[in-house]
Amino acid sequence: MKRLMNAVDTLLDESLDGLAAAHADILELGAERKFVRRKVLTPGKVALISGGGAGHEPLHAGFVGAGMLDAACPGQVFTSPTPDQMVAAIEAVDTGAGCLLIVKNYEGDVMNFEMAGELAVADGRTVETVVTNDDVAVPKSTWSTGRRGVAGTLVVEKIVGAAAEQLAPLEALRDLGREVNERTRSFGVALTPCTVPAAGKPTFTLAPDEMEVGVGIHGEPGRRRSKLASADAIADEMLGAILDDLAAPAGSQCLLLVNGFGGTPLMELYLMVNAARRILAGRGMTATRYLTGSLVTSLDMAGCSITVTALDERLTRLWDAPVKTAALSW
Amino acid sequence: MKRLMNAVDTLLDESLDGLAAAHADILELGAERKFVRRKVLTPGKVALISGGGAGHEPLHAGFVGAGMLDAACPGQVFTSPTPDQMVAAIEAVDTGAGCLLIVKNYEGDVMNFEMAGELAVADGRTVETVVTNDDVAVPKSTWSTGRRGVAGTLVVEKIVGAAAEQLAPLEALRDLGREVNERTRSFGVALTPCTVPAAGKPTFTLAPDEMEVGVGIHGEPGRRRSKLASADAIADEMLGAILDDLAAPAGSQCLLLVNGFGGTPLMELYLMVNAARRILAGRGMTATRYLTGSLVTSLDMAGCSITVTALDERLTRLWDAPVKTAALSW
C-alpha cells in the first residue's frame, strides 16, 4: 500500500484539518473533529445532516455549505460515525426548525443515526430521517439489510438542500428526500480493489482481466465477477439494471451522474457519459442534467458508478439552484 | 492495463463527445473535434487558447468557459495537438481583439503553437504567447528544453482569464500571464506510474516501497527515486524546492494548489494541504487561497503536485473573479 500519509491513526484528522483550512469561508470543524459544519447557519431553516465512514471523499463533508448540508459526521475509513458525533452535530446546527438526517443504508450508519435521532428527540428536538438505498446491483449486501445507499445520496442531498434553503418545512423535506431516493437508481463496477489504510492490503482481489460487476462503495461483492468488457458493454449492463428497476415512462427526462471511485481518470468517466447517454436515448429517455466526477469514492478503487434520477420540473429547478460547497459549486 | 474504453483509437473522441454532451451549456466541439470552444464568445475580448496532449484531464478542455479559456486543443494522449487544430481554434474564437496562446513548455507543444501562431499572423491576426514552466523539480527534461510547464498552467489560465473577461488588451494579458508564471512554482511526486492506453503498460516502474521525487506529468523522471517517505517529509522536500526557488519575501500571501495526478484519493490531497500550510507558515508565508483536486493529471498515476503562486491584491481579486467551466466554477 502506498499512501500520502504520516500514520494510519492520524490520516482522517489531518485530512479534516486540511479541508477546514482550505475552505474556511464555507465550513469549520466541530470540537474534537466530531463533525464538519457550515460556517454560517440560517435561523428558521431545517438543518440537513449526513455522515458516514471516511474513504468516500468528497462525500459527505465536501457537500457541507449553502444549498446542501449543514453538517457532516465523518467516521474512520469505512466505519460509521458514532451517535455521540451525530448528537453533537445536531446540537450545533439545529436552529429550531428541526433536523433531517440523510443516511446511507448500511447497518452501522442506520443504527447510529437512529440512536442519535432518539437522543435528540428526548432532548426536545424534532428529527426526521431519509435513508437512501439507490444501488440496484444486489438486493442485500454484507454491510446492509436491503439495498445499499451509494452515489444517489448526493442527489438527495443536493435537491433536498435546495428546498431547505427555500425554508421548506421538515416533513416536506423528508417527503422530498424519499421521493428523490425513489426516483434514483445506481450501479457500480470495479476494475481494481481499494485498500483500507488500517488493513494495508486490498479488500478483495481481481485478476488482471477481471471486473466486479455491481460492486459496493466499500468494495463489497457485486452480482458477479466477469472478464473486463468494453465500456459500451459495461454501460449496457449498468443502465439495463438501472432502467429496468426504475421503470420510468418513455419520454422521461433524467439526471445522469457518472461517478468515479477514486482511481479512474476523468477521461474515462466522460467516455462513460457518452456511452450512457446513447443507451438512455435508445430507451426513450433524455439526460437533461449531468454530473461527472469522482464524488462518492472508494479510496483508490478504479471503476465507476452510474446513477440516474428521473426528473420533473420541480426537481430540475431544485437541482439547478445555487450550491456552494467544497466539492460542488454552481 | 484496465480501462473503461471501447478501443484505444476512439478513446479521446468518445470522451470529448461525453464532455460536450455533459456541458452543452458551456462548450461545444469544433469540426472533426479539432478543438473545444466556448459556446458564447464576447466580441472585443482577447481569445485565450490553450491545449496539449490528452491524459491530463480536466486540463485544458475542462477550463473552457466564462472566466478562463475560449478554446482548448486536445492532442492524443501525451501527444501535442497539431498546428492545424490550433489554427482552426484561433479562427473559431478570435473576435478581432487578438489571441493569447497559453502553452506548457514541452517541445512539441511549443513548436506546434509557434507554427500555428505564425500561420495566424500571416493571415492578418494578432497573436501573443505565454509559455509556462513552473516545475522546479528538474532544470530540463526528456520532453522539454528548460523547465516543464505543469499545474501552474491552470493558475495562469484562471488569472489571465479573469483579466480577459474585463477586456484587458492583448499585450497586458501576455505580460500578466508571464508575471503569474514567474510567481508560480510546482513540484510533483509519483507513488505509481501511469499507463498510456496505446502502450498498454506502465511508462516506468516503481518498487512497492519507492516513489519518484520530482516526476513530470507524463511520468518523466524527476530528481531521484527514493523510499516512500511520510507525507510531512514529502511535503517538506516539495515546498523546500518550491520556496527556495520562488524566493518570495517573508510575509507573502500565496495560493496553495494541491493537485492529484489521477489515482490519489481526495482524503490524501487534503492531508497534503494540511502539511503544506504548516510548512508555509514556518517560512513566514500565508496561504490565503486554496485549490485542491485532481486537476492536472497523468492518467491513473498516484501522487500529487504542489503549486505555490505568490499573490498580491490584484492577482487575488482576479483569482476570486467568477469562473464557469466544466471543472472549475465559482
Side-chain angles (χ1 to χ4, degrees):
Chain A
M1 177 185 61
K2 286 179 170 179
R3 282 288 154 75
L4 294 167
M5 66 178 188
N6 293 307
V8 167
D9 288 351
T10 58
L11 171 55
L12 177 60
D13 285 357
E14 292 178 69
S15 181
L16 288 170
D17 287 353
L19 176 80
H23 304 284
D25 53 328
I26 292 175
L27 53 81
E28 60 189 26
L29 298 183
E32 300 167 51
R33 303 186 187 84
K34 283 183 182 171
F35 55 87
V36 175
R37 58 160 281 183
R38 237 191 249 205
K39 192 129 193 164
V40 180
L41 302 176
T42 305
K45 189 188 92 67
V46 170
L48 264 53
I49 300 168
S50 190
H56 307 301
E57 288 70 20
L59 185 84
H60 297 274
F63 302 139
V64 169
M68 273 181 99
L69 298 175
D70 291 271
C73 301
Q76 291 295 321
V77 171
F78 293 178
T79 304
S80 177
T82 62
D84 172 55
Q85 289 180 263
M86 299 161 185
V87 168
I90 290 170
E91 289 173 353
V93 300
D94 180 9
T95 63
C99 294
L100 184 67
L101 310 179
I102 300 176
V103 185
K104 301 193 300 300
N105 189 36
Y106 297 100
E107 281 165 10
D109 290 336
V110 170
M111 188 178 68
N112 288 353
F113 269 108
E114 193 173 301
M115 200 177 300
E118 285 168 6
L119 289 167
V121 167
D123 195 36
R125 297 178 190 277
T126 315
V127 177
E128 293 283 353
T129 302
V130 172
V131 177
T132 61
N133 62 349
D134 50 305
D135 189 343
V136 299
V138 291
K140 63 194 172 99
S141 178
T142 35
W143 297 30
S144 69
T145 304
R147 288 179 172 178
R148 303 173 294 215
V150 290
T153 309
L154 95 77
V155 183
V156 173
E157 291 176 357
K158 170 66 187 81
I159 290 178
V160 176
E165 221 66 46
Q166 297 166 9
L167 304 184
L170 180 58
E171 292 72 20
L173 294 173
R174 175 202 62 201
D175 293 347
L176 175 64
R178 291 176 181 171
E179 182 192 349
V180 175
N181 180 61
E182 277 163 25
R183 287 167 165 269
T184 298
R185 302 289 189 282
S186 300
F187 194 106
V189 169
L191 306 193
T192 70
C194 51
T195 299
V196 175
K201 57 183 188 190
T203 51
F204 59 105
T205 53
L206 279 174
D209 62 346
E210 281 183 339
M211 61 179 176
E212 181 72 26
V213 178
V215 72
I217 59 171
H218 310 91
E220 311 99 294
R223 292 182 167 190
R224 64 192 178 86
R225 186 158 297 185
S226 77
K227 297 287 176 199
L228 183 59
S230 70
D232 282 343
I234 293 172
D236 258 332
E237 178 161 3
M238 295 170 90
L239 279 166
I242 287 169
L243 298 180
D244 286 351
D245 197 87
L246 183 59
S252 295
Q253 300 195 333
C254 66
L255 163 70
L256 173 64
L257 162 57
V258 174
N259 170 62
F261 281 140
T264 294
L266 189 58
M267 195 182 192
E268 295 175 40
L269 299 183
Y270 277 117
L271 185 144
M272 292 299 287
V273 168
N274 192 49
R277 74 188 176 97
R278 283 193 307 230
I279 295 165
L280 285 169
R283 300 272 293 231
M285 292 183 73
T286 308
T288 53
R289 294 294 182 275
Y290 294 83
L291 183 63
T292 312
S294 292
L295 296 160
V296 179
T297 60
S298 307
L299 296 163
D300 54 343
M301 191 159 84
C304 76
S305 64
I306 293 178
T307 297
V308 174
T309 300
L311 296 173
D312 60 16
E313 276 186 34
R314 178 181 176 224
L315 298 188
T316 304
R317 271 199 311 274
L318 291 167
W319 179 260
D320 289 344
V323 59
K324 187 171 172 56
T325 67
L328 285 188
S329 178
W330 60 71
Chain B
M1 176 185 62
K2 285 178 169 180
R3 283 287 154 74
L4 293 167
M5 66 178 186
N6 293 307
V8 167
D9 289 350
T10 58
L11 171 55
L12 177 59
D13 285 356
E14 291 178 69
S15 181
L16 288 170
D17 287 353
L19 176 81
H23 304 284
D25 53 329
I26 292 175
L27 53 81
E28 60 189 25
L29 299 183
E32 300 167 52
R33 303 184 187 85
K34 283 183 182 171
F35 55 87
V36 175
R37 59 161 282 183
R38 237 190 248 206
K39 192 129 193 165
V40 180
L41 303 176
T42 306
K45 188 187 92 68
V46 171
L48 264 53
I49 300 170
S50 190
H56 306 302
E57 289 71 21
L59 185 84
H60 297 273
F63 303 138
V64 169
M68 272 181 98
L69 300 176
D70 291 272
C73 301
Q76 291 295 321
V77 172
F78 293 177
T79 303
S80 176
T82 61
D84 173 56
Q85 289 180 262
M86 298 161 185
V87 169
I90 290 170
E91 289 173 353
V93 300
D94 180 9
T95 63
C99 294
L100 184 67
L101 310 179
I102 301 175
V103 185
K104 300 194 299 301
N105 189 35
Y106 298 100
E107 282 165 10
D109 290 336
V110 169
M111 186 179 69
N112 288 352
F113 269 108
E114 194 172 302
M115 199 178 302
E118 285 168 6
L119 288 167
V121 167
D123 196 36
R125 298 178 189 277
T126 316
V127 177
E128 294 283 353
T129 301
V130 173
V131 177
T132 61
N133 62 349
D134 51 307
D135 189 344
V136 299
V138 290
K140 63 194 172 98
S141 177
T142 35
W143 299 29
S144 69
T145 303
R147 288 180 172 178
R148 304 173 295 215
V150 291
T153 310
L154 95 77
V155 182
V156 173
E157 291 175 357
K158 169 66 187 80
I159 290 178
V160 177
E165 220 66 47
Q166 297 166 9
L167 303 185
L170 180 58
E171 292 71 21
L173 294 173
R174 175 202 61 201
D175 295 346
L176 175 64
R178 290 176 182 171
E179 182 192 348
V180 175
N181 180 61
E182 278 163 25
R183 287 168 165 268
T184 298
R185 300 291 189 281
S186 299
F187 194 107
V189 169
L191 306 193
T192 70
C194 51
T195 299
V196 175
K201 57 183 187 194
T203 51
F204 60 105
T205 53
L206 279 173
D209 61 347
E210 282 183 338
M211 61 178 176
E212 180 72 26
V213 179
V215 73
I217 59 172
H218 310 93
E220 311 99 295
R223 293 181 167 191
R224 65 192 178 85
R225 187 159 297 184
S226 77
K227 297 287 177 199
L228 183 60
S230 72
D232 282 344
I234 293 171
D236 259 333
E237 178 162 1
M238 296 171 89
L239 279 165
I242 287 169
L243 298 180
D244 287 350
D245 198 87
L246 183 59
S252 294
Q253 301 195 333
C254 66
L255 164 70
L256 173 64
L257 163 57
V258 174
N259 171 62
F261 281 140
T264 293
L266 189 59
M267 194 183 194
E268 295 174 42
L269 299 183
Y270 277 117
L271 184 144
M272 292 299 287
V273 168
N274 192 50
R277 74 188 176 95
R278 282 192 308 229
I279 296 165
L280 285 169
R283 302 271 293 230
M285 292 183 72
T286 309
T288 53
R289 295 294 182 275
Y290 294 83
L291 184 62
T292 313
S294 292
L295 296 161
V296 179
T297 60
S298 308
L299 295 164
D300 54 343
M301 192 158 83
C304 75
S305 63
I306 294 179
T307 297
V308 174
T309 300
L311 295 173
D312 61 14
E313 276 186 34
R314 178 179 177 226
L315 297 189
T316 304
R317 271 199 311 274
L318 291 167
W319 178 260
D320 289 345
V323 59
K324 187 171 171 58
T325 67
L328 285 187
S329 180
W330 60 70

